[in-house]
Amino acid sequence: MEHLDDILAEWALGTLDSPAWEAAERHLSTCSRCRVEADRLSMARQGLSMAVPPVEPPAAVLQALMERMEGPRRFERFADRVAAFFDLSRERALELLESLADPSRWMPGPVEGSALMPVEAGPAREGMMGAMLRLNPGIHYPLHTHHGRELNLVLEGGLREDTGHEVWPGEEQEKTDGSAHGFSALRGPACLCATLLEGAISFEEELATPG
């Protein structure tokens, strides 16, 4: 990851899941720019916690907060990114993100432990197949070759390519025509990403039938 601008606030509040927190800590150990901002946010959080006496939040407020952090609304922060990625309006992107919680919208993916939700992309993505891809933690997507471009935007969880390169929430990945790679979903929450595929892909090994 280049910088932690998208997740530093969550890091300071302690709301990152374990894999994301560990990756952030590794990044902060080598990036002075992010370390300075992280220290500033930590000091601000500590100052606020000392200045304001603890108050038990109303149940409705706590429930709304949990829905924002763990329910379908947790993806709202990606609405503009998803809209640009698929060439959709912001309203359509919000509808798409909300529908991720609907089991009936998903179909079995190309490998066991994966699922796909087709997405009708806008005119700027003509000729590309759009989808949301979900990989259960630890699932390996085998080595395959791209006959056309592939674009991915990770929304939750993360993936590690066979080369060791990792892609985290908010990061994009592009594979060019003729490139080949395999990857695995990181441990933690399921890897969820927006995907655009141009052309086709060919696998180096026979795929297991999705369960």
Side-chain angles (χ1 to χ4, degrees), residues 84-87 121-128 149 196:
F85 186 85
F86 286 123
D87 187 35
R125 299 302 193 181
E126 184 178 0
M128 303 187 81
R149 290 188 304 151
L196 284 163

Side-chain angles (χ1 to χ4, degrees), residues 68-124:
R68 186 67 179 265
M69 293 175 59
E70 299 181 356
R73 293 185 62 192
R74 69 187 185 277
F75 298 117
E76 284 184 4
R77 65 191 179 104
F78 291 116
D80 291 332
R81 297 281 302 279
V82 170
F85 186 85
F86 286 123
D87 187 35
L88 304 172
S89 67
R90 176 179 170 82
E91 290 72 20
R92 176 68 186 96
L94 285 169
E95 292 175 1
L96 172 62
L97 292 171
E98 185 174 351
S99 72
L100 296 176
D102 183 356
S104 68
R105 299 290 300 273
W106 293 90
M107 63 178 64
V111 299
E112 188 172 1
S114 69
L116 280 174
M117 178 190 293
V119 175
E120 185 176 351

Side-chain angles (χ1 to χ4, degrees), residues 6 14 65 91 94 103 132 186 203:
D6 289 342
L65 179 60
E91 290 72 20
L94 285 169
M132 304 299 297
L186 297 175
F203 288 89

Side-chain angles (χ1 to χ4, degrees), residues 140-162:
H140 184 251
Y141 204 94
L143 181 66
H144 56 280
T145 300
H146 293 281
H147 307 288
R149 290 188 304 151
E150 181 188 65
L151 306 175
N152 294 306
L153 168 63
V154 176
L155 304 181
E156 190 170 61
L159 58 88
R160 179 185 293 114
E161 294 189 285
D162 293 347

